[in-house]
Amino acid sequence: MLVGLLIAGSALVLGFLVAPDAKGFEGDSYRIIFWHVPAAWTSFLTFGMLFVGSLAWFWKRSEWGWILAGVAAELSLLYGLMVVTSGPIWGAAEWGTPWDWTDTRLNTYAVLSAIALFLVLSRRSQPDTPEYRDVFCGIGLFGFLLVPLTYMATRWWQERHPGPVIGGGEDGGVDAVILQIWLLAFIGMVILMIGQAMVSWEVQKSEQRLAELQLRLD
């Protein structure tokens, strides 16, 4: 976690002090991409983890799949909140409004974050039964379906959100220095996420062990 924070933090500093101005954007408002975009990419990875964990529970009734789904839901909420809080800051500076309800990508990602929030809150408030696990993982599988839709939204419906600059065709492309710092921030966030996942995994295993011991005592 500390290594990830150091790398991501260094990338943020470089983004503000070293990265040149970006074509197509006014002023320095674009520099929030060194936080916003890597967090979004990392959140797609955590939603992928949620899909794998949910599928493992449905398919094999695997305990590790259930734990992974819980870990991934928490991380998806964390990185989802990083995206939906940083995006409106940029939107307010660049568009004059923090949110555009007509933009498909903004709205599908908001639904993704809301699903993660629901999963985290419900897991902490509902009894741990096989029926609840089925519902939890079913919602997790449904949520992952929004990931490719969100990713492709600016290719299919270009509203206000900027189009893709990596793999975006003739309209794509970004300054080499910006891209390098961008990818460095992403690597840092992925390392941070892996550390968080390891800690959360141990916490959830300990919680399950405590629940088993409490049942034995009762």
Side-chain angles (χ1 to χ4, degrees):
M1 289 171 63
L2 291 175
V3 171
L5 281 172
L6 179 62
I7 295 174
S10 299
L12 291 176
V13 173
L14 292 173
F16 279 97
L17 300 181
V18 177
D21 293 337
K23 62 179 181 179
F25 299 102
E26 297 183 5
D28 292 327
S29 63
Y30 91 93
R31 297 178 190 275
I32 204 168
I33 68 171
F34 299 112
W35 172 276
H36 177 76
V37 176
W41 289 346
T42 306
S43 73
F44 288 159
L45 295 179
T46 62
F47 276 106
M49 292 164 54
L50 177 61
F51 174 81
V52 172
S54 299
L55 189 61
W57 169 255
F58 267 123
W59 187 23
K60 294 289 189 179
R61 283 300 195 255
S62 173
E63 197 64 28
W64 69 262
W66 172 243
I67 296 175
L68 179 61
V71 170
E74 293 179 349
L75 293 174
S76 297
L77 175 60
L78 172 63
Y79 286 93
L81 289 176
M82 290 169 63
V83 174
V84 298
T85 54
S86 58
I89 296 174
W90 182 85
E94 187 70 22
W95 306 334
T97 180
W99 199 274
D100 184 350
W101 292 103
T102 66
D103 189 279
T104 305
R105 170 168 284 187
L106 298 184
N107 294 324
T108 56
Y109 196 90
V111 173
L112 266 176
S113 301
I115 288 173
L117 175 61
F118 171 79
L119 292 178
V120 171
L121 293 179
S122 67
R123 189 171 177 123
R124 297 185 178 277
S125 61
Q126 299 297 317
D128 185 6
T129 63
E131 293 76 16
Y132 169 71
R133 291 187 179 192
D134 288 343
V135 173
F136 181 99
C137 292
I139 296 174
L141 292 173
F142 167 76
F144 181 75
L145 296 177
L146 291 174
V147 171
L149 177 62
T150 301
Y151 178 77
M152 296 299 296
T154 54
R155 291 171 169 83
W156 294 339
W157 308 286
Q158 181 62 50
E159 297 293 341
R160 209 187 279 260
H161 192 285
V165 296
I166 299 178
E170 296 181 357
D171 296 330
V174 66
D175 183 273
V177 175
I178 294 176
L179 179 60
Q180 290 169 8
I181 299 174
W182 211 353
L183 295 178
L184 181 65
F186 175 54
I187 291 171
M189 286 196 180
V190 169
I191 295 174
L192 172 62
M193 182 270 290
I194 292 172
Q196 291 170 317
M198 293 169 64
V199 172
S200 183
W201 183 282
E202 292 302 321
V203 168
Q204 295 207 26
K205 286 181 63 177
S206 297
E207 289 177 345
Q208 287 192 349
R209 179 61 176 162
L210 286 172
E212 292 172 0
L213 292 173
Q214 185 62 52
L215 285 175
R216 292 181 183 181
L217 287 173
D218 292 343

